[in-house]
PDB file of all heavy atoms in Angstrom:
ATOM      1  N   ASP B 347     -63.591  36.095  30.577  1.00 96.00           N
ATOM      2  CA  ASP B 347     -63.437  36.578  31.949  1.00 96.00           C
ATOM      3  C   ASP B 347     -62.617  35.612  32.792  1.00 96.00           C
ATOM      4  O   ASP B 347     -62.766  34.398  32.674  1.00 96.00           O
ATOM      5  CB  ASP B 347     -64.808  36.746  32.619  1.00 96.00           C
ATOM      6  CG  ASP B 347     -65.574  37.912  32.034  1.00 96.00           C
ATOM      7  OD1 ASP B 347     -65.288  39.060  32.439  1.00 96.00           O
ATOM      8  OD2 ASP B 347     -66.417  37.655  31.152  1.00 96.00           O
ATOM      9  N   PHE B 348     -61.800  36.178  33.653  1.00 97.00           N
ATOM     10  CA  PHE B 348     -61.083  35.388  34.645  1.00 97.00           C
ATOM     11  C   PHE B 348     -61.318  36.030  36.003  1.00 97.00           C
ATOM     12  O   PHE B 348     -61.171  37.245  36.156  1.00 97.00           O
ATOM     13  CB  PHE B 348     -59.585  35.347  34.330  1.00 97.00           C
ATOM     14  CG  PHE B 348     -58.761  34.804  35.449  1.00 97.00           C
ATOM     15  CD1 PHE B 348     -58.799  33.443  35.769  1.00 97.00           C
ATOM     16  CD2 PHE B 348     -57.953  35.637  36.210  1.00 97.00           C
ATOM     17  CE1 PHE B 348     -58.045  32.951  36.818  1.00 97.00           C
ATOM     18  CE2 PHE B 348     -57.197  35.140  37.263  1.00 97.00           C
ATOM     19  CZ  PHE B 348     -57.247  33.788  37.561  1.00 97.00           C
ATOM     20  N   VAL B 349     -61.716  35.216  36.955  1.00 97.00           N
ATOM     21  CA  VAL B 349     -61.986  35.726  38.294  1.00 97.00           C
ATOM     22  C   VAL B 349     -61.281  34.851  39.313  1.00 97.00           C
ATOM     23  O   VAL B 349     -61.255  33.619  39.177  1.00 97.00           O
ATOM     24  CB  VAL B 349     -63.509  35.731  38.600  1.00 97.00           C
ATOM     25  CG1 VAL B 349     -63.777  36.246  40.005  1.00 97.00           C
ATOM     26  CG2 VAL B 349     -64.260  36.562  37.590  1.00 97.00           C
ATOM     27  N   CYS B 350     -60.692  35.484  40.332  1.00 97.00           N
ATOM     28  CA  CYS B 350     -60.126  34.731  41.443  1.00 97.00           C
ATOM     29  C   CYS B 350     -60.766  35.250  42.729  1.00 97.00           C
ATOM     30  O   CYS B 350     -60.856  36.457  42.944  1.00 97.00           O
ATOM     31  CB  CYS B 350     -58.608  34.904  41.476  1.00 97.00           C
ATOM     32  SG  CYS B 350     -57.876  34.050  42.882  1.00 97.00           S
ATOM     33  N   ARG B 351     -61.240  34.311  43.546  1.00 96.00           N
ATOM     34  CA  ARG B 351     -61.858  34.683  44.828  1.00 96.00           C
ATOM     35  C   ARG B 351     -61.085  34.029  45.959  1.00 96.00           C
ATOM     36  O   ARG B 351     -60.605  32.902  45.838  1.00 96.00           O
ATOM     37  CB  ARG B 351     -63.313  34.210  44.863  1.00 96.00           C
ATOM     38  CG  ARG B 351     -64.207  34.927  43.881  1.00 96.00           C
ATOM     39  CD  ARG B 351     -65.668  34.555  44.099  1.00 96.00           C
ATOM     40  NE  ARG B 351     -66.495  35.139  43.058  1.00 96.00           N
ATOM     41  CZ  ARG B 351     -66.719  34.539  41.881  1.00 96.00           C
ATOM     42  NH1 ARG B 351     -66.233  33.339  41.648  1.00 96.00           N
ATOM     43  NH2 ARG B 351     -67.454  35.136  40.963  1.00 96.00           N
ATOM     44  N   PHE B 352     -61.023  34.767  47.069  1.00 95.00           N
ATOM     45  CA  PHE B 352     -60.395  34.236  48.277  1.00 95.00           C
ATOM     46  C   PHE B 352     -61.361  34.464  49.431  1.00 95.00           C
ATOM     47  O   PHE B 352     -61.818  35.593  49.652  1.00 95.00           O
ATOM     48  CB  PHE B 352     -59.056  34.943  48.531  1.00 95.00           C
ATOM     49  CG  PHE B 352     -58.345  34.481  49.767  1.00 95.00           C
ATOM     50  CD1 PHE B 352     -58.113  33.122  49.989  1.00 95.00           C
ATOM     51  CD2 PHE B 352     -57.913  35.382  50.720  1.00 95.00           C
ATOM     52  CE1 PHE B 352     -57.458  32.697  51.129  1.00 95.00           C
ATOM     53  CE2 PHE B 352     -57.250  34.959  51.863  1.00 95.00           C
ATOM     54  CZ  PHE B 352     -57.029  33.601  52.070  1.00 95.00           C
ATOM     55  N   LEU B 353     -61.717  33.401  50.106  1.00 93.00           N
ATOM     56  CA  LEU B 353     -62.712  33.447  51.185  1.00 93.00           C
ATOM     57  C   LEU B 353     -64.014  34.050  50.676  1.00 93.00           C
ATOM     58  O   LEU B 353     -64.678  34.835  51.343  1.00 93.00           O
ATOM     59  CB  LEU B 353     -62.177  34.289  52.361  1.00 93.00           C
ATOM     60  CG  LEU B 353     -60.954  33.708  53.075  1.00 93.00           C
ATOM     61  CD1 LEU B 353     -60.267  34.761  53.908  1.00 93.00           C
ATOM     62  CD2 LEU B 353     -61.348  32.525  53.939  1.00 93.00           C
ATOM     63  N   GLY B 354     -64.359  33.688  49.437  1.00 91.00           N
ATOM     64  CA  GLY B 354     -65.606  34.144  48.842  1.00 91.00           C
ATOM     65  C   GLY B 354     -65.565  35.568  48.321  1.00 91.00           C
ATOM     66  O   GLY B 354     -66.500  36.049  47.692  1.00 91.00           O
ATOM     67  N   GLU B 355     -64.454  36.246  48.543  1.00 94.00           N
ATOM     68  CA  GLU B 355     -64.346  37.639  48.128  1.00 94.00           C
ATOM     69  C   GLU B 355     -63.516  37.743  46.847  1.00 94.00           C
ATOM     70  O   GLU B 355     -62.469  37.100  46.727  1.00 94.00           O
ATOM     71  CB  GLU B 355     -63.664  38.433  49.248  1.00 94.00           C
ATOM     72  CG  GLU B 355     -63.738  39.928  49.087  1.00 94.00           C
ATOM     73  CD  GLU B 355     -62.868  40.646  50.120  1.00 94.00           C
ATOM     74  OE1 GLU B 355     -62.568  40.021  51.167  1.00 94.00           O
ATOM     75  OE2 GLU B 355     -62.487  41.794  49.871  1.00 94.00           O
ATOM     76  N   GLU B 356     -63.981  38.547  45.927  1.00 95.00           N
ATOM     77  CA  GLU B 356     -63.280  38.694  44.656  1.00 95.00           C
ATOM     78  C   GLU B 356     -61.973  39.446  44.870  1.00 95.00           C
ATOM     79  O   GLU B 356     -61.979  40.550  45.417  1.00 95.00           O
ATOM     80  CB  GLU B 356     -64.181  39.471  43.709  1.00 95.00           C
ATOM     81  CG  GLU B 356     -63.844  39.279  42.259  1.00 95.00           C
ATOM     82  CD  GLU B 356     -64.913  39.890  41.363  1.00 95.00           C
ATOM     83  OE1 GLU B 356     -66.012  39.332  41.274  1.00 95.00           O
ATOM     84  OE2 GLU B 356     -64.636  40.944  40.789  1.00 95.00           O
ATOM     85  N   ILE B 357     -60.839  38.839  44.454  1.00 94.00           N
ATOM     86  CA  ILE B 357     -59.574  39.556  44.627  1.00 94.00           C
ATOM     87  C   ILE B 357     -58.969  39.982  43.294  1.00 94.00           C
ATOM     88  O   ILE B 357     -58.202  40.938  43.221  1.00 94.00           O
ATOM     89  CB  ILE B 357     -58.537  38.749  45.443  1.00 94.00           C
ATOM     90  CG1 ILE B 357     -58.323  37.360  44.834  1.00 94.00           C
ATOM     91  CG2 ILE B 357     -58.966  38.637  46.893  1.00 94.00           C
ATOM     92  CD1 ILE B 357     -57.131  36.637  45.414  1.00 94.00           C
ATOM     93  N   VAL B 358     -59.318  39.248  42.213  1.00 96.00           N
ATOM     94  CA  VAL B 358     -58.833  39.626  40.890  1.00 96.00           C
ATOM     95  C   VAL B 358     -59.942  39.376  39.876  1.00 96.00           C
ATOM     96  O   VAL B 358     -60.611  38.337  39.921  1.00 96.00           O
ATOM     97  CB  VAL B 358     -57.584  38.808  40.482  1.00 96.00           C
ATOM     98  CG1 VAL B 358     -57.306  38.954  38.988  1.00 96.00           C
ATOM     99  CG2 VAL B 358     -56.352  39.270  41.249  1.00 96.00           C
ATOM    100  N   ARG B 359     -60.152  40.322  39.004  1.00 97.00           N
ATOM    101  CA  ARG B 359     -61.078  40.105  37.885  1.00 97.00           C
ATOM    102  C   ARG B 359     -60.420  40.666  36.637  1.00 97.00           C
ATOM    103  O   ARG B 359     -59.940  41.803  36.646  1.00 97.00           O
ATOM    104  CB  ARG B 359     -62.431  40.763  38.128  1.00 97.00           C
ATOM    105  CG  ARG B 359     -63.367  40.703  36.908  1.00 97.00           C
ATOM    106  CD  ARG B 359     -64.724  41.292  37.192  1.00 97.00           C
ATOM    107  NE  ARG B 359     -65.541  40.392  37.997  1.00 97.00           N
ATOM    108  CZ  ARG B 359     -66.316  39.428  37.479  1.00 97.00           C
ATOM    109  NH1 ARG B 359     -66.350  39.224  36.176  1.00 97.00           N
ATOM    110  NH2 ARG B 359     -67.028  38.661  38.269  1.00 97.00           N
ATOM    111  N   VAL B 360     -60.364  39.846  35.600  1.00 96.00           N
ATOM    112  CA  VAL B 360     -59.743  40.277  34.348  1.00 96.00           C
ATOM    113  C   VAL B 360     -60.725  40.074  33.211  1.00 96.00           C
ATOM    114  O   VAL B 360     -61.344  39.023  33.096  1.00 96.00           O
ATOM    115  CB  VAL B 360     -58.452  39.472  34.059  1.00 96.00           C
ATOM    116  CG1 VAL B 360     -57.803  39.949  32.768  1.00 96.00           C
ATOM    117  CG2 VAL B 360     -57.463  39.579  35.201  1.00 96.00           C
ATOM    118  N   LYS B 361     -60.854  41.102  32.384  1.00 97.00           N
ATOM    119  CA  LYS B 361     -61.659  40.958  31.181  1.00 97.00           C
ATOM    120  C   LYS B 361     -60.685  40.746  30.028  1.00 97.00           C
ATOM    121  O   LYS B 361     -59.826  41.597  29.772  1.00 97.00           O
ATOM    122  CB  LYS B 361     -62.491  42.218  30.957  1.00 97.00           C
ATOM    123  CG  LYS B 361     -63.471  42.086  29.824  1.00 97.00           C
ATOM    124  CD  LYS B 361     -64.465  43.254  29.855  1.00 97.00           C
ATOM    125  CE  LYS B 361     -65.101  43.513  28.489  1.00 97.00           C
ATOM    126  NZ  LYS B 361     -65.411  42.344  27.703  1.00 97.00           N
ATOM    127  N   LEU B 362     -60.775  39.589  29.378  1.00 96.00           N
ATOM    128  CA  LEU B 362     -59.811  39.257  28.325  1.00 96.00           C
ATOM    129  C   LEU B 362     -60.330  39.696  26.959  1.00 96.00           C
ATOM    130  O   LEU B 362     -61.532  39.689  26.717  1.00 96.00           O
ATOM    131  CB  LEU B 362     -59.526  37.757  28.330  1.00 96.00           C
ATOM    132  CG  LEU B 362     -58.669  37.245  29.488  1.00 96.00           C
ATOM    133  CD1 LEU B 362     -59.511  37.038  30.732  1.00 96.00           C
ATOM    134  CD2 LEU B 362     -58.004  35.936  29.105  1.00 96.00           C
ATOM    135  N   GLU B 363     -59.398  40.057  26.079  1.00 95.00           N
ATOM    136  CA  GLU B 363     -59.742  40.509  24.734  1.00 95.00           C
ATOM    137  C   GLU B 363     -59.014  39.623  23.716  1.00 95.00           C
ATOM    138  O   GLU B 363     -58.068  38.926  24.066  1.00 95.00           O
ATOM    139  CB  GLU B 363     -59.319  41.977  24.555  1.00 95.00           C
ATOM    140  CG  GLU B 363     -60.018  42.965  25.486  1.00 95.00           C
ATOM    141  CD  GLU B 363     -61.493  43.198  25.145  1.00 95.00           C
ATOM    142  OE1 GLU B 363     -61.938  42.809  24.045  1.00 95.00           O
ATOM    143  OE2 GLU B 363     -62.203  43.767  26.003  1.00 95.00           O
ATOM    144  N   PRO B 364     -59.454  39.672  22.435  1.00 93.00           N
ATOM    145  CA  PRO B 364     -58.856  38.768  21.430  1.00 93.00           C
ATOM    146  C   PRO B 364     -57.358  38.989  21.199  1.00 93.00           C
ATOM    147  O   PRO B 364     -56.692  38.131  20.644  1.00 93.00           O
ATOM    148  CB  PRO B 364     -59.649  39.082  20.159  1.00 93.00           C
ATOM    149  CG  PRO B 364     -60.918  39.686  20.629  1.00 93.00           C
ATOM    150  CD  PRO B 364     -60.583  40.433  21.887  1.00 93.00           C
ATOM    151  N   GLY B 365     -56.825  40.110  21.622  1.00 92.00           N
ATOM    152  CA  GLY B 365     -55.417  40.387  21.379  1.00 92.00           C
ATOM    153  C   GLY B 365     -54.460  39.587  22.237  1.00 92.00           C
ATOM    154  O   GLY B 365     -53.252  39.602  22.014  1.00 92.00           O
ATOM    155  N   LEU B 366     -54.991  38.875  23.223  1.00 93.00           N
ATOM    156  CA  LEU B 366     -54.114  38.123  24.125  1.00 93.00           C
ATOM    157  C   LEU B 366     -53.623  36.833  23.489  1.00 93.00           C
ATOM    158  O   LEU B 366     -54.314  36.225  22.678  1.00 93.00           O
ATOM    159  CB  LEU B 366     -54.866  37.791  25.420  1.00 93.00           C
ATOM    160  CG  LEU B 366     -54.862  38.896  26.473  1.00 93.00           C
ATOM    161  CD1 LEU B 366     -55.820  38.560  27.591  1.00 93.00           C
ATOM    162  CD2 LEU B 366     -53.456  39.055  27.037  1.00 93.00           C
ATOM    163  N   ALA B 367     -52.439  36.410  23.892  1.00 93.00           N
ATOM    164  CA  ALA B 367     -51.846  35.180  23.356  1.00 93.00           C
ATOM    165  C   ALA B 367     -52.594  33.960  23.874  1.00 93.00           C
ATOM    166  O   ALA B 367     -53.347  34.043  24.852  1.00 93.00           O
ATOM    167  CB  ALA B 367     -50.380  35.092  23.759  1.00 93.00           C
ATOM    168  N   ALA B 368     -52.351  32.828  23.219  1.00 94.00           N
ATOM    169  CA  ALA B 368     -52.972  31.561  23.631  1.00 94.00           C
ATOM    170  C   ALA B 368     -52.522  31.185  25.035  1.00 94.00           C
ATOM    171  O   ALA B 368     -51.483  31.640  25.512  1.00 94.00           O
ATOM    172  CB  ALA B 368     -52.611  30.468  22.648  1.00 94.00           C
ATOM    173  N   ASN B 369     -53.301  30.349  25.689  1.00 94.00           N
ATOM    174  CA  ASN B 369     -53.004  29.843  27.027  1.00 94.00           C
ATOM    175  C   ASN B 369     -52.713  30.967  28.026  1.00 94.00           C
ATOM    176  O   ASN B 369     -51.622  31.044  28.581  1.00 94.00           O
ATOM    177  CB  ASN B 369     -51.811  28.877  26.985  1.00 94.00           C
ATOM    178  CG  ASN B 369     -51.950  27.859  25.880  1.00 94.00           C
ATOM    179  OD1 ASN B 369     -52.975  27.193  25.777  1.00 94.00           O
ATOM    180  ND2 ASN B 369     -50.951  27.753  25.027  1.00 94.00           N
ATOM    181  N   PRO B 370     -53.689  31.863  28.250  1.00 95.00           N
ATOM    182  CA  PRO B 370     -53.438  33.014  29.138  1.00 95.00           C
ATOM    183  C   PRO B 370     -52.980  32.599  30.534  1.00 95.00           C
ATOM    184  O   PRO B 370     -53.522  31.672  31.118  1.00 95.00           O
ATOM    185  CB  PRO B 370     -54.795  33.729  29.207  1.00 95.00           C
ATOM    186  CG  PRO B 370     -55.785  32.828  28.600  1.00 95.00           C
ATOM    187  CD  PRO B 370     -55.046  31.882  27.715  1.00 95.00           C
TER     188      PRO B 370
END
Side-chain angles (χ1 to χ4, degrees):
Chain B
D347 290 279
F348 168 72
V349 179
C350 177
R351 293 188 186 87
F352 179 52
L353 295 163
E355 192 188 338
E356 201 171 288
I357 54 168
V358 166
R359 173 177 284 273
V360 181
K361 187 168 157 38
L362 287 82
E363 298 288 346
L366 276 170
N369 312 308

